[in-house]
Structures are given as structure tokens and as C-alpha cells.
Amino acid sequence: MVDAAGHEVAISNPGKVYFPEARITKLDVVRYYLAVADGALRGAGGRPNVLVRYADGIHGEFFYQKRAPASRPSWIEVVALRFPSGRTAEEVVPRDAAALAWMANLGCLELHPHPVRPEDLEHPDELRIDLDPVPGVGWSQLQDVARVVQAVLADLGLVGWPKTSGSRGIHVNVRIHRRWSFTELRRAALALAREVERRAPRLATSKWWKEERHGVFLDYNQNAKDRTVAGAYSVRPTVDARVSAPVTWDELFACAPEDFTLRTMPARFAAIGDRHAGIDESPGSLDALLELSAEQEAAGLGDAPWPPHYAKQAGEPPRVQPSRRRRGGRRTSAKPLIELGRAAKREEALAGLERWKERHPRTASHLQPADVLIDTMRGRSATWTRVRVNLEHVPETLRPAEEPLDPDYDPWAGVTRGGGRKSRRARPAP
């Protein structure tokens, strides 16, 4: 039992190892969130959260749970959200350290808050800028792009609060007044991404399809309704238990992601407090970004692709990856992509990639890091992995034909649709 915020929280199997390499247990995760509770609640508290559960630790299967468990303490708050699919679910709204401990006991390593408050679920209060490097891009290039983001925000009169993602990227959160819809929020994020790309075209991209990306991708779609990102102080499923660390801009340009872990963050937090303590004091306006969006549209830059599970939007370009588009009534390939495999687990998909490389060593020797496209796809309640390769840097004489998928996992096998039992392939994802 742990005492937190006036509640006793039962921790089952407290010695269960979640991070084998770092020898971190479930109880260690609980104690971590109690140590940084003030900061974690500033980022994820008072908001509906998706539960991402790692019941068997970082090397086991994990799953997304939108619906709060039916068996929960009476003091756990929930709120009903309506999703783009039309479905609804009651999601957990943590308000205090006890709720964080209870979530950690469920195996929730990460906090995944929506950018809204329970009292107004249709008007977000946060713009989220997600800097996502393509394979082969180093931390220093991410920092360079973050400098451009900082300058763009300053020019627009907005205050950005940076943090490491705890994985490979950087997040910058911007508090805003609750006046705009999710559609306007996403359009503002797209305008910002395009402006950063305009200022640093060799470093950054706003292109949605992986085959078109280079450098650092600014994921504007993280601002679409129902999308969440890891919140401040979230523990990430890395072998060294890195955390998403709020930092100042100066710290961001001097730090490395591995500086912040579950082991090191509590001492930092005790010594200096939360670097985002003032984030709620300066909410901004999206007006300047929406004006920029209108200027971009007038110059020919309309909407950009939405995530695949969203309904087709008015003004959205064709939602099909460039290599599969039809031109002149015939399908032609802008990029020579081939799909290698699909697997329930990432390591199984990567093993299939290695088998392909062994069969085609001369081809593999020409691949650049960004030519290997590893897609994390969302299934019904868990993710799965797809592997493709772009052969544009491979001489045509060495480009093999697409082979039977290895492995060949169907995430929709057995799904009942229209009253019948039917297996179907997922729609292409970016």
C-alpha cells in the first residue's frame, strides 16, 4: 500500500520487473510518479488520458485502453469523450498523485493526455509541436530545427515550452485560449510546420508520407481530435527508462535525451522544480497562425493528408501514398517502394527485414537509413509493425521484385464486418 493525496493505493506485484536491463520494478515506477507528481499533473492532470498499458514490462505486449476500467476506486474521475468514429468512451482524468499511482499500478508507464479539459471537450487549450526525426537524423539536427521553431513562435507572439520526448524527438507545447476548434488547431499546426519547413528546407519537412520525408518531420496531425502524445515526465519504454523531460530552451540546446531517466529525474525535480511551472500563465492566440494558414492557402498550399482512420475531409488531397497514386488513369510509382513484412511485434518485423537483407546483400548495401520505413500501425487495441524499403538509391539492376510478406501478419483476421467473418488488410498508413 502507498499513501498519496489522502488515499491508500494498493500496488499488486510491486516487485514485478518492468525494465529488465535497468532493473526497475513496478513499485519503482509508482514511486517515481509520486516524486514528480506536481509536474506530471501540470502536463496530464485535469485532462482525459488514454491508458497505454505495459502489463508485462517494456519487452512484453502493450495495448491502448480508452475506456476506464469498470472496477476502479470511487475517487478516480472519468469523463465521456466522443471520437471521430462516432463512438464514446469514459476516460480517466487524473487529479492527484493517488490517481497517478493507481494508473502506474495498471502498467501505465506513459501519460497520454488529450489537449482538452473535462469542462470543455471541444475546444483544446494546447498546441502540440512534435519534432520527429527520420532514421539517420541525429540529435543536433533536432536541436537546429527546434531553434527555428522557437523563432517562428516568437515572431507569432506565442510562448513555447520545450521538452524531450523521452524517445528520439522533441515536443514543444503552447498553451492557448480555449476559443478554437480541433480543426482550427490542426490547421494552425500545419501552417507552423510549413513555415518551419520554408525557413529550413534542408533540415525540416511537413510532408505526411514517410517516403517523401527528410530530416525532421513536424507532425501536425498530432493536433487532430483524438490524438495524444506522451505528457511531461512520462516514463518511456526504453531500456534505460528515459522520461519526457521539461527543459528551458537553453537546456534543450545543451542536453541529450539520455540525461533524463526515471533514476535521475526525481533528484532534478527536487532540486529545481518543474521547468514548466509557468506554462498556464501565458496562454496565446491562434489568430496569427490561422492568418498564416490563409496566406499559404492563397499561395496554393491547401489542406494536407489526415490520419487514415479519419473521415475524408473537405479540401483534403488524395489520401493515398505518392507511390500508389494513379496518374492518367494508370497507377505509376513516384518511389520504388516494396513491402517486406507485417508483424504483431516490432522485433518480429525487424527479423524479417534482416532475412530480406541476407537474401539481397548487394541491394541492402545501397540502402540509406531513411530508406527503411518502419511503420507503427494501430490495430483494434494494440499496435503492429509494417516494414517497407525505398529502392530509389539502389541501381535498377539490383532492385528485387516484391516477394511474399515475411512475416505475413493480418491484424484484422477474424474481424466481423457486416454480419460475416472476414479478414481484411489495413489501409495504408503514413
Side-chain angles (χ1 to χ4, degrees), residues 49 110-115 126 128-130 163 171 173 219 222-223 227-232 234 236 378:
N49 278 245
E110 304 170 294
L111 302 172
H112 272 262
H114 292 266
E126 189 168 78
R128 294 171 174 177
I129 305 166
D130 182 5
K163 64 185 181 73
H171 297 159
N173 293 343
D219 191 352
Q222 293 291 29
N223 293 274
R227 296 295 285 253
T228 62
V229 297
S234 283
R236 306 307 303 274
R378 284 204 179 188

Side-chain angles (χ1 to χ4, degrees), residues 341-358:
R342 303 180 179 193
K345 296 183 178 181
R346 182 183 177 90
E347 56 267 27
E348 294 172 354
L350 295 180
L353 170 64
E354 293 306 313
R355 290 191 292 271
W356 181 87
K357 288 181 177 180
E358 290 173 2

Side-chain angles (χ1 to χ4, degrees), residues 37-121:
D38 287 348
L41 290 168
R42 187 169 288 110
R47 302 176 181 276
N49 278 245
V50 176
L51 305 179
V52 186
R53 300 179 63 176
Y54 294 79
D56 296 316
I58 63 169
H59 298 309
E61 294 186 7
F62 68 96
F63 60 96
Y64 293 86
Q65 181 175 336
K66 292 183 176 181
R67 289 172 173 79
S71 177
R72 59 181 184 266
S74 59
W75 42 266
I76 291 293
E77 181 180 337
V78 297
V79 66
L81 271 72
R82 180 175 294 277
F83 306 111
S85 65
R87 297 179 179 179
T88 61
E90 287 189 332
E91 292 196 6
V92 172
V93 180
R95 293 284 187 183
D96 54 29
L100 297 179
W102 178 79
M103 292 166 68
N105 181 59
L106 294 179
C108 298
L109 303 181
E110 304 170 294
L111 302 172
H112 272 262
H114 292 266
V116 292
R117 305 289 182 173
E119 57 269 24
D120 188 351
L121 296 173

Side-chain angles (χ1 to χ4, degrees), residues 64-358:
Y64 293 86
Q65 181 175 336
K66 292 183 176 181
R67 289 172 173 79
S71 177
R72 59 181 184 266
S74 59
W75 42 266
I76 291 293
E77 181 180 337
V78 297
V79 66
L81 271 72
R82 180 175 294 277
F83 306 111
S85 65
R87 297 179 179 179
T88 61
E90 287 189 332
E91 292 196 6
V92 172
V93 180
R95 293 284 187 183
D96 54 29
L100 297 179
W102 178 79
M103 292 166 68
N105 181 59
L106 294 179
C108 298
L109 303 181
E110 304 170 294
L111 302 172
H112 272 262
H114 292 266
V116 292
R117 305 289 182 173
E119 57 269 24
D120 188 351
L121 296 173
E122 298 303 322
H123 295 92
D125 69 345
E126 189 168 78
L127 169 71
R128 294 171 174 177
I129 305 166
D130 182 5
L131 307 185
D132 184 12
V134 306
V137 169
W139 179 249
S140 62
Q141 185 167 333
L142 271 162
Q143 291 171 313
D144 290 341
V145 175
R147 289 186 177 91
V148 180
V149 170
Q150 182 186 26
V152 171
L153 291 175
D155 290 346
L156 296 169
L158 294 169
V159 179
W161 299 82
K163 64 185 181 73
T164 65
S165 73
S167 182
R168 299 180 61 239
I170 290 173
H171 297 159
V172 182
N173 293 343
V174 180
R175 286 288 202 269
I176 58 173
H177 296 288
R178 285 184 287 185
R179 290 169 36 200
W180 295 274
S181 67
F182 273 99
T183 300
E184 291 170 315
L185 177 73
R186 177 190 167 278
R187 196 58 181 255
L190 174 59
L192 186 143
R194 285 171 167 167
E195 176 62 14
V196 172
E197 180 180 33
R198 186 188 69 80
R199 297 190 187 193
R202 299 183 64 182
L203 300 177
T205 181
S206 65
K207 301 295 187 295
W208 173 247
W209 300 106
K210 280 190 175 182
E211 62 198 72
E212 294 186 316
R213 295 180 193 170
H214 69 276
V216 177
F217 170 53
L218 287 91
D219 191 352
Y220 59 89
N221 270 330
Q222 293 291 29
N223 293 274
K225 188 176 183 180
D226 193 29
R227 296 295 285 253
T228 62
V229 297
Y233 299 97
S234 283
V235 182
R236 306 307 303 274
T238 61
V239 294
D240 54 353
R242 294 182 191 179
V243 302
S244 183
V247 292
T248 65
W249 286 105
D250 288 343
E251 286 177 324
L252 180 67
F253 303 136
C255 73
E258 60 269 23
D259 294 341
F260 311 106
T261 70
L262 180 148
R263 297 291 194 197
T264 64
M265 180 55 77
R268 169 183 163 89
F269 192 86
I272 65 174
D274 181 14
R275 288 302 200 197
H276 287 188
I279 192 171
D280 292 312
E281 298 172 4
S282 52
S285 168
L286 291 183
D287 285 344
L289 270 175
L290 292 174
E291 290 174 6
L292 177 61
S293 176
E295 293 172 5
Q296 292 171 348
E297 187 169 4
L301 291 175
D303 200 0
W306 286 64
H309 61 286
Y310 285 71
K312 180 72 174 178
Q313 304 292 313
E316 181 185 359
R319 195 183 297 177
V320 57
Q321 57 207 66
S323 59
R324 297 173 62 88
R325 290 177 187 161
R326 292 184 181 274
R327 294 172 176 84
R330 301 180 61 185
R331 177 165 288 172
T332 58
S333 295
K335 299 280 187 178
L337 262 67
I338 59 174
E339 184 174 357
L340 305 188
R342 303 180 179 193
K345 296 183 178 181
R346 182 183 177 90
E347 56 267 27
E348 294 172 354
L350 295 180
L353 170 64
E354 293 306 313
R355 290 191 292 271
W356 181 87
K357 288 181 177 180
E358 290 173 2

